[in-house]
Amino acid sequence: MDFHWLFLFKKQYQYMWNDNETNSDFIDYQHLVNAVTSIVNNTRLLPCSIGVFGDWGSGKSSLMKMVEETYSEDKDVLVINFNGWLFEGYEDTKTVLMGKIVNEIIKKRKPQDKALKIAAKLLQKIDLLKIGQSAVKHGAGFMLMGPAGLALTTTSDILGKLSNANYEDYIKKQNENTDPDEILKNDIQEFHLSFEELIEETNIEKIVVFIDDLDRCSHDTVIGTLEAIKLFLFAKKTAFIIGADERLIKHAVRRRFPEIPGDNTEVGRDYLEKLIQYPIRIPPLSDLELTTYVNLLFTNLYTDVGEFEHIRIGVLEEKNKDQFGFTFRLENAGSFINHVNDDLKEALLLSAQLVSVLAVGLNGNPRQTKRFLNTLLLRHQMAKSKGENLDKRILAKLMLLEYFKSETFKSFYQQQAKNQGIILELKLMEEVALKDDDEKYEELPVEYQSYLQDSWIRKWLSSEPYLSDVNLQSYFYYSRDKLSVSGTNIQRMSSQAQDLYIKILNDSETIRSLALKESGSLSEGDSSAIFESLADKMKNEGEQSGESPSIKRLIDFCNARKELISQLLSLIDKLPHQVLPLSITTWLQEISEGTSHQSTVIKMIQDWSQSSTNKRLAAIAKRKLKSIK
């Protein structure tokens, strides 16, 4: 093993950022923290449920951590954390959550005498509720087995304080009472009263329960968690702070209760409004906010811990003075930092190049931005460990193409691989993008003309640093992980994009049509991720057949997002002729008609008309060429 390389690889992690939640505010979330704590601190508003809503990676967990920190020194406030995702697979989420909260009270308050008996009674009630749930699932005879082995969240020492006769009484009551709804109603009321009594007896001023990662959970877990709060735990002096993507909760409601009449959106919204009293939404970062965020991230890397904290506080204070005009950048960095070293200067210059595109392409999402930058620094450090010092700005520019225009990136990769790292057409493309030279445009191959019809690619080509005279072999070498791995695009989609992606694959033409109409509201980053996911699915399937194959879904999506047509044509042009459906000529003619991509499509049809591997397609392509002429 190359231990020198291993040492350098470990050392590089000093120059990346942790991807976990943090209580260090880089964004200025204090107004959101204050919004949550003002509700929790108002005893007249308790009990309450607060929803901290936002997309995946928007900072929900970090915001909740900052709120939690405000109660870290308050002995009268009991803070409890519950991660629903960790308890996926348990038979009943409601009882898991209930048991977790009661056990936390026992653990942190150590109840005596009366409080001890109340706690034991509650835990026993939870066990009995598990029996009832299991009886519904496995049959009534299961109830007679008793609670042995079912107390997944209970404290056995406390349960031992009460007689098993209580279990027998419960079973007897179940057998005598033929109305299950009445039994459940009584159980809920008894649990509710006992829970409030336990809070009083343990001298807790308030309980604040943080429930995170619900949007990672199954529909049953989402609904079970919310129902446990409302039915059993919504007691005096309690506040529940729930972090999730509200759109996924609404989707879970609709999937969990398909029999409820009405529009999907309305049903989910109404259900959510009943369970969440105070919604607090985290908006995506604006260009100015993202600039400050990214520059604070880089400053955190290249300054000492103590100095950085002073810088961070100073930057956020200045931002509060000029909320809509201030941004932390290289030009004013000297006002906050004693010495802006060369590494930090380079990073802040890099930030200026990246932020405007990342703000749009990554939805102003903090976690996705951090992951992009971590990938950038990781690749740079991997190259450095091999003795190559890549230019971060060049690497970043190529990564932007990789993220947002994957087919162009793959095409450039193939070109440079044939020409010792040089993309022959790139110089001409840059000149056309910069000077809008029609004569030079006509000199380009049709595929590259198609790329220049894309305004994003034109802007990318005309931005510094220019790449036409750069040997890009090493830069593409360290991008091989992206070129060889598929199926990761869904991870960077927003919840809206994930939902639309699923609907585009739906068998119902009505559902697909509605999804395509809605896709116009997606960000460039989301539309790019959907394109790549659909392309991966198509390539994995091989031959495209049937009335609506994956390639048709992809074409329909690009028709709704016309900025992706150049990527579509580049992708299809590289596919083996034998996998193409016979209708491909008609579909591409329709999507390109009246656009600047029409000549590219005609060139592709000409190539297919000469195909020796798909003679039926060749015959159709020849007829199509005659009709076009």
Side-chain angles (χ1 to χ4, degrees), residues 7 86-87 104 313 346 488:
F7 169 76
L86 296 179
F87 293 96
E104 286 293 307
I313 292 171
E346 180 189 359
T488 59

Side-chain angles (χ1 to χ4, degrees), residues 322-344:
D322 185 8
Q323 186 174 353
F324 303 107
F326 170 79
T327 184
F328 175 53
R329 57 189 186 279
L330 178 60
E331 289 78 4
N332 60 20
S335 303
F336 304 94
I337 306 171
N338 292 329
H339 172 62
V340 182
N341 59 53
D342 290 340
D343 286 335
L344 182 53

Side-chain angles (χ1 to χ4, degrees), residues 24 52 99 121 164 176 292 301 304-305 366 384 436 444 478 501 589 609 619:
S24 184
V52 175
K121 184 179 178 182
N164 286 334
E176 291 175 352
T292 296
L301 288 186
D304 294 333
V305 175
K384 195 172 182 180
D436 203 19
L444 286 166
Y478 294 102
Y501 173 66
Q589 186 188 14
S609 70

Side-chain angles (χ1 to χ4, degrees), residues 75 104 484 510 532 566 596 616 621:
K75 296 180 180 179
E104 286 293 307
S484 61
T510 301
E532 290 187 53
S566 66
S596 54
R616 292 181 66 194

Side-chain angles (χ1 to χ4, degrees), residues 284-393:
L285 302 183
S286 66
D287 286 27
L288 292 179
E289 290 171 325
L290 193 66
T291 300
T292 296
Y293 173 69
V294 170
N295 288 337
L296 280 175
L297 284 175
F298 280 124
T299 304
N300 187 30
L301 288 186
Y302 299 116
T303 57
D304 294 333
V305 175
E307 182 186 3
F308 172 72
E309 190 59 19
H310 177 75
I311 295 166
R312 184 186 70 82
I313 292 171
V315 167
L316 293 185
E317 285 178 349
E318 190 63 31
K319 182 179 181 298
N320 281 326
K321 292 177 185 176
D322 185 8
Q323 186 174 353
F324 303 107
F326 170 79
T327 184
F328 175 53
R329 57 189 186 279
L330 178 60
E331 289 78 4
N332 60 20
S335 303
F336 304 94
I337 306 171
N338 292 329
H339 172 62
V340 182
N341 59 53
D342 290 340
D343 286 335
L344 182 53
K345 283 181 182 177
E346 180 189 359
L348 296 180
L349 281 171
L350 176 65
S351 169
Q353 177 192 2
L354 292 176
V355 165
S356 62
V357 177
L358 293 181
V360 176
L362 298 180
N363 307 320
N365 186 293
R367 177 170 288 175
Q368 292 200 44
T369 299
K370 190 189 291 184
R371 286 192 172 186
F372 179 95
L373 295 173
N374 270 340
T375 302
L376 169 67
L377 296 181
L378 177 60
R379 290 179 180 179
H380 182 267
Q381 197 62 34
M382 287 167 63
K384 195 172 182 180
S385 71
K386 292 284 190 179
E388 297 184 74
N389 190 24
L390 302 183
D391 186 318
K392 288 179 186 173
R393 296 176 71 227

Side-chain angles (χ1 to χ4, degrees), residues 88-93 128-143 145 150 152 220 256:
E88 283 275 64
Y90 280 83
E91 192 153 310
D92 181 58
T93 309
L128 295 171
L129 185 61
K130 288 178 188 175
I131 296 173
Q133 293 290 338
S134 297
V136 171
K137 182 174 182 179
H138 302 286
F142 183 84
M143 292 170 58
M145 295 173 59
L150 292 177
L152 297 175
D220 286 344
R256 179 67 175 80

Side-chain angles (χ1 to χ4, degrees), residues 537-548:
K537 179 175 174 57
M538 179 195 69
K539 286 183 282 190
N540 290 335
E541 289 174 350
E543 184 177 353
Q544 297 293 297
S545 58
E547 292 184 4
S548 182

